[in-house]
Amino acid sequence: MTQQPTITYRTESDSMGDKQIPSTVYYGIQTLRAVENFPISGIKPLSTYVDACVLIKKAAAIANGKLGCIPEDISTALIKAADEVLAGNLRDQFVVDVYQAGAGTSHHMNVNEVLSNRALEIMGDEKGNYKRVSPNDQRIVGFGKNFVPGFVWGDRIPGQKSRRIPQYRQIRPHSPARCRPGATRRNLPRLGTDS
């Protein structure tokens, strides 16, 4: 008789309480809640959709690292984590049903948690230490959670020409001011629909 391996867990917390997350997974509490709340079809996202989201987050990590909005070690680790996913690793960690409710927030957070937890490992830390690399904050200064999936849909899939370049040129001069502590967003142009 073979002995079953012991499953270990880490505890993650959010505004709704604590959850036990298997230590082996790279997604976190928000992804687990989405899987529990939206067991609709069992269909997982296409790899091209995951890649498109990861490319946006990699670009944000590069830009925010160069602007000094996030520490260089975190930027480097996030970029490496993104490159690993783009190379085909961790594909089984994107578990949110394609028909989940909302504007893509659950999928967005699934990607954020996977990249954050892999970045933590790359830096020699433990998965779930979101005080060091937060899936909610550090990586996407300037990219709201509902903006990323919307950017990926339609004509914005990698390899296709984007029609938003003029809007990016308008925002670009404001980016360094926006990431400074205490900066206000009131007069800055934004493409997303949330904060």
Side-chain angles (χ1 to χ4, degrees):
M1 184 183 214
T2 59
Q3 195 173 28
Q4 294 289 349
T6 303
I7 298 175
T8 60
Y9 295 88
R10 65 182 186 268
T11 302
E12 291 192 15
S13 302
D14 64 10
S15 62
M16 296 174 60
D18 296 343
K19 277 253 187 231
Q20 295 295 304
I21 312 292
S23 298
T24 56
V25 302
Y26 286 84
Y27 56 81
I29 190 168
Q30 292 185 48
T31 299
L32 184 57
R33 288 197 192 281
V35 168
E36 293 171 349
N37 291 330
F38 308 116
I40 299 167
S41 71
I43 300 170
K44 305 302 179 226
L46 293 172
S47 61
T48 53
Y49 184 77
V50 171
D51 287 350
C53 289
V54 170
L55 283 168
I56 291 169
K57 292 170 188 306
K58 178 181 176 182
I62 292 167
N64 289 325
K66 287 183 179 181
L67 291 169
C69 297
I70 58 176
E72 186 177 334
D73 64 331
I74 292 175
S75 173
T76 301
L78 288 167
I79 293 163
K80 183 171 182 182
D83 285 340
E84 289 178 6
V85 172
L86 294 169
N89 299 315
L90 304 176
R91 293 302 172 149
D92 61 336
Q93 300 299 304
F94 301 99
V95 297
V96 174
D97 196 294
V98 295
Y99 295 111
Q100 53 84 27
T105 304
S106 296
H107 176 73
H108 167 77
M109 288 309 302
N110 188 176
V111 174
N112 279 4
E113 288 172 343
V114 170
L115 293 178
S116 292
N117 281 315
R118 182 60 190 125
L120 283 164
E121 276 190 338
I122 290 167
M123 294 188 299
D125 210 328
E126 294 181 6
K127 289 181 259 185
N129 182 9
Y130 298 144
K131 289 182 180 181
R132 186 167 184 197
V133 180
S134 171
N136 290 308
D137 302 322
Q138 290 193 320
R139 169 184 30 287
I140 49 172
V141 175
F143 280 92
K145 66 183 176 294
N146 292 338
F147 171 67
V148 172
F151 184 81
V152 172
W153 296 328
D155 67 331
R156 295 160 200 89
I157 298 294
Q160 294 194 7
K161 187 175 179 180
S162 173
R163 291 181 233 165
R164 293 191 178 199
I165 297 301
Q167 288 88 343
Y168 291 134
R169 288 190 184 122
Q170 178 187 8
I171 287 175
R172 189 173 163 209
H174 299 285
S175 296
R178 184 168 184 182
C179 72
R180 275 191 233 118
T184 113
R185 300 177 183 195
R186 198 170 340 133
N187 298 321
L188 298 179
R190 294 185 295 170
L191 296 177
T193 58
D194 62 345
S195 57

